[in-house]
Amino acid sequence: MRNHLKNLTLFLKGANFYRGIRLTSSILLPLILLYFLGYFQFAPAIVVGIFLNAPSDIPGSLKRKVNAILISIGLTVLITAIVLFLKPFFPLLILAITIISFAISLISVYGFRASLVSFSGLLAMVLAFAAEKTTHTDILLHLALISIGGLWYLCISYIFQLLVPKKDETQLLSDTLNLIGEYLNLRARLLTKKSKREALTQQAFLLQTQINEKHETLREVFHSERKKSGRSHYDEKQLLIFISSINIFELIEAKQLDYKELDRLFSDRKHYLRPAKKLNKILGNHLIRLSELLIQNKKIPNKNPLLKSLAKAKKIISIYVEDITLPKAREGALALQNLYDYQEQLLAEIRSIRRVMANVKDASSVSLKRQDASQFLTLQEYHPNVLIQNLSFKAPLFRHALRITVALVFAFVLGTILDIQNTYWILLTIIVIMRPNYGLTKERSKNRIIGTFIGATVAICIVLITQNVIIYSVLAIISLTLAFALMQQNYKSAAALITINVIFIYSIITPNALQVIQYRVIDTVIGASISIFANYLLWPSWEVNNLKHVLLEALQKNKTYLLATKDLYHNKTNNQLAYKIARKESFLAISNLNAAFQRLTQDPKSKQKEFQLIYNLTTLNQTMISATASIGSFILNHKTTPPSKEFDAVIDRVINTLQMSRAILQNVPPNTLKDAIPIDDAQKNLQNAFYDLGVKRDKNIKKGNIEINTKTLHQLQEAYLITSQLNWLKTLSENLKKATIRYNKIINEDNI
């Protein structure tokens, strides 16, 4: 019960519920005002204008938000005008629907915010069919009122932004910390759950993608804030938490462990890994709790459980050495020590977040160069070339535009022939449900139908119990607010609440509410069915065929990141910024690859060709980036020795192998570079360097020098980590090349 109350409190205090209140308020205020002024007949068109232009109001920079809403207003008014003026001319209307549907759908090539403007345009076309306007005067008045509604919503959104300017940022930060906490918990399970690693790894792909998306939005928000004349203390706190969240995520990514190696070292000694596993869970749960406290503004929890768990993870290293004894215990001890160092760094970042949230004075200032920060932004390109490049049958969004156009035209013609009462409900269902890939369309269709049935059932029960208009009005307002609040979190519940809202509004207008319910359910089922069949039959975009360009990008960013890590090792002072930018871009590239793999899992089983091969390609790319991050993280956080020529030789070999994999995918002859020194000799020399340090340490132990000094420990850690990770990277790159050859062969055979 307590947990449910906590979740309810978080929901009511969160930005999603606040967004629902904002939209409901923008609708109710003109309704009430126009009612008392005696101009209520103008209210429906204004409400339509609000509905049409609200989708573009998403978290991000205020400038982009305002621009998106203004573009949306202009687009929706233009489309509404075209449809209303062409209604009497059926052939021209069909032509207009075709052109509008295709052209507006293609706007989505310019990113997520543009896709919402595209949705508003399609929504305007659909809702125009519901408007009974016959004369030019009525049409022009309707267009003017829609414009007023859009501008009114823009004003309301701006006022709410002024009243609570940091609501969206706080929610984004909270969601990010929560996701990272879940990711840490999942990584804890990966440590010892050998039989479940494949399933857990697939879950990790999804979490990585979600975290990267949150970070990208937050980068945009904070960069826009930095352009203002100054930042408040609260801004500084938010920025510090954001930076720590990035550091934590990148530390986690840097510790993508070689689980086969851990299984070898601790195959029958899993109990030595349990303190590290427990610490990961405690750290993850603590982050989740901090994410909740960002919304609740309550006292932060005690740090003692964190410190005690860290001490146990430290102590287990000594116990392991005592039990196994040196030199046999050296590899395992160094593996545990590296794991401990990583978790200690995680705890340091979490404690930084704690200090910021506790308003500790020395944690309230941060300074970043504006020109440096701007380089971390992934800017959306709005050049016409982006659209031109997507005017190809090979482009998934081009095929989606064709698909949704055919589906909408078919549904409209079908509704006209069968004289369906509310054809626009079918069209509305199609534009809400249809997505570029089959899996998401199917999932949304299922949720939409189930939600509609649930909403209809609830509404029927209430309508049968009472015919009180006041109750209908109150429930319509509540359901509308909750529907908008849950739209992104739980689409099934949102669909149920929207159905309840529509039915109660019709119940107020007309006494025949049960007939409305019947039509609502039937039209939803028809629209959902058309969406699913269109996605499956009309130029389907199966993810297995769209993966090639995502793989090419991941390989390129992997290579660039590895090269930046090499440069960092040579000169830490001058190359940190370039390294961090390369790291960020590689994480985004692998996030896109992970997202593509997730879409593949949603396709029909019969279309998931070579699923295991693609899973291996995704995992190998992910693991390579993590292995590179592990080297980079160690270099950044420790004083290192000068890099050897053997280090450079192995790195160059791995980079060359990655380049060969790209060439294979591009069907061009690979360019093989000659090794500076024989690669086997380089690996052997690196291994000998680590062995020599071990021998030296063993001699000191025999002399009675049991305690190891920090310098010697770091040298051993560096030699062990660099040697093991380089050997691992070389093996991974070779396996990746083999998998790429197999994948490219399959793709080429399919294209013959």
Side-chain angles (χ1 to χ4, degrees), residues 321-337:
V321 172
E322 290 173 6
D323 291 348
I324 309 303
T325 69
L326 292 170
K328 185 180 178 182
R330 179 163 291 118
E331 283 190 81
L334 287 171
L336 289 173
Q337 182 66 48

Side-chain angles (χ1 to χ4, degrees), residues 445-593:
S445 298
K446 182 179 71 174
N447 289 335
R448 179 81 176 186
I449 291 171
I450 294 173
T452 300
F453 272 105
I454 292 172
T457 303
V458 171
I460 287 173
C461 293
I462 295 173
V463 168
L464 292 176
I465 292 171
T466 179
Q467 283 75 47
N468 191 312
V469 175
I470 296 175
I471 292 176
Y472 293 167
S473 301
V474 172
L475 291 176
I477 293 169
I478 293 172
S479 60
L480 182 66
T481 303
L482 293 175
F484 289 135
L486 291 169
M487 191 64 70
Q488 299 298 326
Q489 291 177 298
N490 191 322
Y491 183 68
K492 188 188 298 181
S493 299
L497 289 161
I498 289 172
T499 301
I500 291 171
N501 174 263
V502 169
I503 289 170
F504 284 143
I505 289 174
Y506 270 91
S507 297
I508 295 169
I509 298 171
T510 174
N512 196 1
L514 292 178
Q515 190 176 29
V516 172
I517 296 172
Q518 174 188 331
Y519 286 134
R520 173 76 178 175
V521 173
I522 292 172
D523 292 343
T524 297
V525 172
I526 293 173
S529 300
I530 291 173
S531 299
I532 293 173
F533 281 110
N535 259 83
Y536 191 86
L537 299 174
L538 301 178
W539 313 289
S541 185
W542 308 124
E543 202 58 40
V544 68
N545 300 321
N546 301 327
L547 207 65
K548 186 173 180 176
H549 73 280
V550 187
L551 274 170
L552 281 169
E553 183 70 8
L555 286 167
Q556 177 60 37
K557 297 304 181 184
N558 228 329
K559 187 185 81 169
T560 304
Y561 184 27
L562 196 57
L563 188 58
T565 305
K566 175 186 172 183
D567 293 339
L568 181 74
Y569 204 0
H570 281 270
N571 192 325
K572 191 187 303 187
T573 305
N574 295 336
N575 295 318
Q576 276 201 45
L577 179 60
Y579 168 80
K580 290 180 179 179
I581 292 171
R583 179 177 62 184
K584 175 252 182 184
E585 290 180 349
S586 67
F587 282 9
L588 284 178
I590 201 64
S591 176
N592 291 334
L593 181 57

Side-chain angles (χ1 to χ4, degrees), residues 282 286 289-290 293 299-308 347 350 354:
I282 290 174
H286 198 83
R289 183 59 186 145
L290 291 178
L293 296 178
K299 186 178 178 181
I300 61 175
N302 193 290
K303 65 185 177 184
N304 287 338
L306 296 172
L307 299 177
K308 288 180 180 178
L347 179 54
I350 291 173
R354 286 172 53 89

Side-chain angles (χ1 to χ4, degrees), residues 601-617:
T601 63
Q602 295 172 333
D603 284 344
K605 293 291 184 182
S606 60
K607 306 300 180 181
Q608 295 179 16
K609 292 182 292 184
E610 298 296 332
F611 177 87
Q612 193 60 44
L613 174 61
I614 294 171
Y615 170 75
N616 290 339
L617 280 166

Side-chain angles (χ1 to χ4, degrees), residues 91 147 327 637:
S147 302
N637 294 291

Side-chain angles (χ1 to χ4, degrees), residues 360-378:
V360 175
K361 289 183 180 179
D362 63 0
S364 61
S365 63
V366 62
S367 176
L368 294 174
K369 295 179 182 178
R370 182 177 296 177
Q371 62 269 31
D372 289 353
S374 64
Q375 294 183 62
F376 287 91
L377 286 175
T378 305

Side-chain angles (χ1 to χ4, degrees), residues 7 10-11 13-17 19 59 166-183 206-215 217-218 238 241-242 245 249 284 287-296 485 488-489:
N7 290 335
L10 289 170
F11 173 70
K13 289 186 176 182
N16 292 319
F17 184 66
R19 196 173 296 122
K166 304 300 178 184
K167 197 78 173 178
D168 284 336
E169 290 175 27
T170 303
Q171 185 68 60
L172 281 167
L173 280 173
S174 175
D175 292 344
T176 303
L177 293 184
N178 185 277
L179 288 169
I180 295 174
E182 290 181 13
Y183 191 25
L206 180 59
L207 284 171
Q208 289 162 354
T209 302
Q210 292 172 337
I211 293 167
N212 270 311
E213 288 172 352
K214 298 292 183 188
H215 277 157
T217 305
L218 283 166
Q238 298 274 66
I241 294 171
F242 169 60
S245 77
F249 179 56
L287 272 176
I288 292 171
R289 183 59 186 145
L290 291 178
S291 76
E292 296 168 353
L293 296 178
L294 277 175
I295 305 295
Q296 294 174 321
Q488 299 298 326
Q489 291 177 298

